[in-house]
Amino acid sequence: MAQASARHILVDSEAKCNELKAEIEGGRDFAEVAREHSNCPSGRQGGELGTFGPGQMVPEFDKVVFEGEVGKVHGPVKTQFGYHLLEITSRS
């Protein structure tokens, strides 16, 4: 079964998500932005979600993590929790 590792930043609005994505693409460290802005408890660990398989995260998350480009920041991705920026750190 496929496995992936990812980190994310969860915020309340698409606008905030786009603003943070621009900061990261401009050179800010993803983990630093996650610690400062993420509404998810994982923000304290720089947004690290660990390793997981298909079906362990919400469908919107799964689609990006198992189909998107590794090492790239994806988003905004809307889920029932809010808006996410996702970075796939590895996939096998």
Side-chain angles (χ1 to χ4, degrees):
M1 180 166 70
Q3 292 283 297
S5 298
R7 51 190 184 168
H8 83 133
I9 298 169
L10 172 64
V11 294
D12 295 329
S13 74
E14 187 173 6
K16 182 68 171 179
C17 207
N18 282 318
E19 176 187 317
L20 297 177
K21 185 175 184 179
E23 287 184 25
I24 293 163
E25 289 174 342
R28 278 205 67 202
D29 181 61
F30 190 101
E32 180 182 301
V33 175
R35 281 190 285 275
E36 286 179 22
H37 297 282
S38 186
N39 295 335
C40 181
S42 69
R44 288 191 291 275
Q45 288 80 45
E48 288 290 341
L49 296 171
T51 302
F52 50 91
Q56 290 185 270
M57 299 289 179
V58 294
E60 301 90 342
F61 233 74
D62 263 16
K63 181 166 177 51
V64 173
V65 171
F66 290 100
E67 295 177 13
E69 183 181 333
V70 174
K72 180 180 178 216
V73 177
H74 300 271
V77 176
K78 187 179 189 307
T79 70
Q80 72 260 37
F81 303 107
Y83 293 86
H84 307 259
L85 290 179
L86 295 168
E87 183 185 41
I88 308 156
T89 52
S90 70
R91 183 174 57 224
S92 60

